[in-house]
Amino acid sequence: MSLGKVVPIAGFPVHEATPQDLAMHLLSVLREHEKISLLFANSNFVVKCKKLLNRMANDSVLIVNDGIGIDIVAKCLHGRAFKANLNGTDFTPYLFRESSRPLRVYMLGAHPEIVEKAAAYVERELGQVVVGYCDGYSGLRDPHIVERINRSEAEVLLVALGNPLQEEWILNHRDALNAGVVTGVGALFDFWAGSKPRAPEFIQKIRMEWLFRLYHEPRRLMRRYTVDMLVFFAHCLKYRKDSNSRVSGSRSQAGF
Ligand code: UDP
């Protein structure tokens, strides 16, 4: 089973999908005992993961769109936005709900007390089976971490290390990991643990969640939402210009 159109954004093959398409796809990957890495591409991902681009050109890596920045670029370069917005924070609970049975989940990342609280939340509120968890600092340095995850017989591995650490870690260890679905989920454990506030729904609806996060963590996120945003748009435009001059006459590689 495969997903719909692929839209090139700064060279990244971004798959267009609804949450429902994506959940069905991943559940079928689990049923068929296949392996996939799911990555959410937002503007920060594009800027921070540029150097990993070639390693992501792989059938087992599935990249989907996350956030308003990617949509603006899709509109400017390909004439229309993506049909749905996907992000690990909303999509992960959705995937759990769509599964007809509780999934075996391993959680890797965040500070020790955060991942512990988030694991309790996943069991209590989301009804999944957390087969193990490990923090993203000293825990991540355990040379046996991959064996531990495999021994847990996790089907879904959530990796919450931020960009580009989580993508790098996933690409480095994917072959050795047995979990069917491995995905990078950013600050998700902090939200589940309640250590970072999630924007109210109306702010999410008007797609201003980034502004809410900036308000709460100005020192850490100021660069991401100012300088890096400009870098992101410039990079997308430059990439488009360069690929147009390589393939002269081609309007949209995706037929988007
Ligand atoms: N993190 C980690 N190890 C590191 C760096 C970060 O476990 O070496 C965790 C951090 O504690 C946080 C998550 O990675 O829980 C990523 O947070 P961020 O806010 O950067 O995610 P994003 O904004 O990309 O969703």
Side-chain angles (χ1 to χ4, degrees):
M1 183 183 180
S2 64
L3 282 174
K5 277 178 182 148
V6 174
V7 183
I9 301 282
F12 290 97
V14 181
H15 288 253
E16 185 175 41
T18 62
Q20 195 185 17
D21 297 337
L22 185 58
M24 278 173 55
H25 181 69
L26 298 183
L27 293 172
S28 111
V29 163
L30 291 179
R31 263 195 315 276
E32 305 295 324
H33 301 286
E34 291 168 2
K35 293 211 288 191
I36 211 154
S37 306
L38 173 66
L39 306 178
F40 294 90
N42 55 21
S43 52
N44 192 45
F45 168 100
V46 170
V47 172
K48 297 283 168 54
C49 297
K50 269 192 299 203
K51 57 178 192 255
L52 303 173
L53 178 61
N54 291 338
R55 297 180 63 197
M56 289 184 192
N58 177 329
D59 278 353
S60 70
V61 176
L62 181 60
I63 303 174
V64 293
N65 62 297
D66 169 7
I68 192 166
I70 296 285
D71 255 351
I72 292 172
V73 169
K75 239 181 183 160
C76 294
L77 300 187
H78 303 292
R80 72 173 173 89
F82 285 87
K83 58 183 171 192
N85 180 43
L86 293 155
N87 62 67
T89 306
D90 294 319
F91 178 73
T92 310
Y94 180 83
L95 173 68
F96 293 162
R97 282 198 302 277
E98 288 296 292
S99 174
S100 56
R101 59 174 178 81
L103 297 172
R104 295 173 62 81
V105 180
Y106 195 103
M107 299 166 66
L108 174 67
H111 288 284
E113 66 285 4
I114 300 292
V115 66
E116 186 182 347
K117 272 192 188 165
Y121 177 91
V122 170
E123 294 215 310
R124 193 183 62 242
E125 303 292 328
L126 305 178
Q128 310 302 300
V129 182
V130 176
V131 290
Y133 58 83
C134 174
D135 72 272
Y137 296 89
S138 58
L140 192 65
R141 288 193 284 275
D142 175 357
H144 303 296
I145 184 64
V146 170
E147 284 161 57
R148 273 171 58 194
I149 296 168
N150 284 343
R151 263 202 314 273
S152 76
E153 296 185 7
E155 303 172 275
V156 177
L157 169 62
L158 305 178
V159 185
L161 304 170
N163 315 119
L165 209 59
Q166 61 194 24
E167 287 77 17
E168 224 157 14
W169 192 92
I170 291 172
L171 291 169
N172 288 344
H173 297 95
R174 189 60 182 107
D175 286 348
L177 287 162
N178 297 335
V181 174
V182 177
T183 179
V185 291
L188 180 57
F189 299 173
D190 298 276
F191 297 134
W192 280 344
S195 69
K196 282 185 188 173
R198 186 87 202 273
E201 222 158 283
F202 82 94
I203 294 184
Q204 293 176 39
K205 278 214 174 93
I206 58 169
R207 310 191 70 181
M208 285 290 148
E209 192 166 6
W210 64 272
L211 198 57
F212 180 88
R213 292 193 69 189
L214 178 61
Y215 173 76
H216 283 274
E217 296 181 87
R219 285 165 77 99
R220 193 175 73 88
L221 296 178
M222 183 56 85
R223 192 191 152 89
R224 185 186 297 187
Y225 292 125
T226 53
V227 179
D228 284 356
M229 209 59 183
L230 294 176
V231 173
F232 163 68
F233 287 121
H235 179 65
C236 291
L237 289 176
K238 183 175 179 308
Y239 198 95
R240 169 69 171 186
K241 237 169 117 190
D242 290 351
S243 57
N244 269 358
S245 53
R246 278 198 300 273
V247 190
S248 65
S250 92
R251 287 298 305 150
S252 162
Q253 297 162 28
F256 185 50

